[in-house]
Amino acid sequence: MANKPHLAAEDSFKKDAPLSRLHVAYKHSYTSDAFLDAAKNAPLDIDTKSGMLAVEAAVAIVINGIHYAVLMASPYQLEYLAIGFLYSEGLIQHSHELLDWDITQLTDDESYQDFTPDSFIQNSSNKDSLNSNLTDELISLDQLSEQLQDYDIYVVELVLNQRCHQRIQAQKRQLAGRTGCGMCGITGLTQALPDLSKYQINKPLLSRAMPSLDDLLSIQAQINVAQHTHQLTGAVHAAATLYEQQLYLFEDVGRHNALDKLIGWQLHHKAEVDYVLMTSRLSIELVQKSIRSRIPWLIGMSAPTSTAVRVAERYGLGLAGFLRDNRVTYYAGYADS
């Protein structure tokens, strides 16, 4: 891999990787008046329409040659996603612990085999000579060709320093991470329910950094304008912050991926932010990531879960939700609480 000690401002795949694709769909609908008469066999309108759909790519994270995890994510800002993911996993503490990186898109059988353990691929001509139980676990080249037609696949190869290597072995995940899941593949309760006391946020800092409703409505308006992929597809989340009066926005089909991208950017640029705004609900993995990153406030456009609020209160994270129209609801970290 080429030596790349610094990340570019824009992801190298952003210009080339498709973030959305055009698909034909069929819209069934009633007129508003006809809907009331649907039981009386009102006419159904069927329109053929074309729409943009968000690309959901399989992103394999390979660390020091170890296949660590597979994330379903939007295929851009992958450098930031990798750094944020490693930090959220506890594998790195600083971005300089990442010594090198490279990103490859797998486009054919040959490129796929280069990144797949040999024990999981077989030549279909040898299938009859294999034990039947073993055959069930193998992927034939014919099957592989069919699967590649359905998926966008990227491999992010990372090289961490020697100090981080044992952490990789101890925390290797067992499953692919689904788009909506920030904890898929975790096999131990200590990983899913970590002690975050060393990341506890200082309460005086939390009070000073409390964002006002005016500030939040201002950044929400900026996000609505800047969230281009969501405007096209209606299917991606965003994590955003203001830093030095400039909006930094990270979109992804997975809300936890969007936050990891922001965290990766934050680590790389050593940026201290006052708050992060998510366009999604606030679930526990988002709270855990924010606490690890010492983000004072996490705000969502939808509701938090009860577990998210309880953990935020324990570790000093400010939490607010239902940012919409002309209102916001503070759940933890409120100055008068």
Side-chain angles (χ1 to χ4, degrees):
M1 292 184 291
N3 186 24
K4 302 174 184 173
H6 300 290
L7 296 181
E10 294 291 332
D11 180 76
S12 57
F13 276 102
K14 186 170 183 180
K15 294 180 181 178
D16 301 326
L19 303 181
S20 60
R21 288 197 180 94
L22 188 66
H23 286 263
V24 176
Y26 303 92
K27 179 181 177 181
H28 290 213
S29 64
Y30 294 114
T31 64
S32 57
D33 292 335
F35 177 73
L36 300 176
D37 297 327
K40 301 177 182 178
N41 299 317
L44 179 68
D45 293 330
I46 302 176
D47 295 326
T48 302
K49 57 180 296 184
S50 297
M52 301 299 292
L53 301 182
V55 170
E56 182 181 23
V59 180
I61 306 294
V62 180
I63 309 174
N64 290 7
I66 297 172
H67 290 249
Y68 184 79
V70 178
L71 309 177
M72 300 306 298
S74 299
Y76 78 115
Q77 297 170 322
L78 294 182
E79 294 97 331
Y80 290 146
L81 174 62
I83 292 180
F85 177 74
L86 293 181
Y87 184 84
S88 296
E89 291 280 288
L91 297 178
I92 63 172
Q93 301 298 323
H94 307 280
S95 62
H96 63 72
E97 292 177 310
L98 175 59
L99 304 179
D100 197 8
W101 56 268
D102 196 25
I103 299 174
T104 305
Q105 182 178 11
L106 307 189
T107 57
D108 53 33
D109 297 356
E110 183 177 353
S111 63
Y112 186 89
Q113 290 180 70
D114 289 340
F115 291 98
T116 304
D118 293 339
S119 59
F120 290 97
I121 295 183
Q122 61 164 316
N123 188 305
S124 57
S125 63
N126 298 327
K127 185 173 181 179
D128 294 337
S129 64
L130 295 170
N131 177 279
S132 59
N133 292 332
L134 178 61
T135 302
D136 291 339
E137 298 178 1
L138 298 178
I139 301 174
S140 72
L141 294 179
D142 293 338
Q143 290 173 310
L144 179 59
S145 297
E146 292 182 7
Q147 291 178 3
L148 287 175
Q149 296 175 14
D150 298 328
Y151 291 91
D152 294 83
I153 304 173
Y154 297 83
V155 175
V156 182
E157 295 180 276
L158 308 167
V159 178
L160 302 186
N161 63 21
Q162 190 62 34
R163 183 179 298 178
C164 300
H165 191 74
Q166 289 184 339
R167 301 177 199 160
I168 305 169
Q169 300 278 16
Q171 293 184 217
K172 184 178 179 183
R173 290 190 176 213
Q174 302 300 314
L175 298 171
R178 295 171 177 83
T179 302
C181 177
M183 294 188 179
C184 294
I186 287 177
T187 57
L189 283 175
T190 55
Q191 287 178 268
L193 311 174
D195 177 11
L196 301 172
S197 54
K198 68 178 180 179
Y199 302 102
Q200 194 148 7
I201 297 171
N202 183 279
K203 288 189 177 181
L205 172 63
L206 181 65
S207 298
R208 290 198 304 272
M210 179 178 170
S212 68
L213 176 58
D214 288 345
D215 289 341
L216 294 178
L217 293 176
S218 175
I219 188 175
Q220 182 190 28
Q222 294 180 57
I223 290 171
N224 291 340
V225 173
Q227 208 180 350
H228 302 304
T229 305
H230 184 71
Q231 291 170 3
L232 284 174
T233 67
V236 297
H237 297 291
T241 191
L242 281 181
Y243 179 65
E244 297 181 346
Q245 304 304 311
Q246 183 174 346
L247 178 71
Y248 289 86
L249 181 139
F250 304 85
E251 286 187 296
D252 200 278
V253 289
R255 61 188 183 278
H256 52 91
N257 294 333
L259 183 55
D260 275 342
K261 288 176 179 180
L262 187 149
I263 291 170
W265 162 84
Q266 179 188 13
L267 286 172
H268 176 65
H269 293 282
K270 298 180 175 62
E272 293 185 4
V273 301
D274 292 331
Y275 55 85
V276 169
L277 199 155
M278 302 291 305
T279 59
S280 65
R281 71 180 187 275
L282 302 179
S283 47
I284 181 60
E285 81 275 9
L286 299 183
V287 165
Q288 291 173 344
K289 290 174 187 291
S290 299
I291 293 169
R292 285 184 185 275
S293 302
R294 294 184 171 87
I295 295 169
W297 279 87
L298 181 66
I299 297 99
M301 293 187 184
S302 294
T305 65
S306 63
T307 304
V309 173
R310 290 167 67 183
V311 173
E313 290 176 333
R314 175 178 294 276
Y315 295 109
L317 172 69
L319 204 66
F322 286 117
L323 176 63
R324 57 184 66 173
D325 301 327
N326 60 351
R327 62 188 172 95
V328 68
T329 303
Y330 297 96
Y331 292 91
Y334 186 62
D336 294 336
S337 62

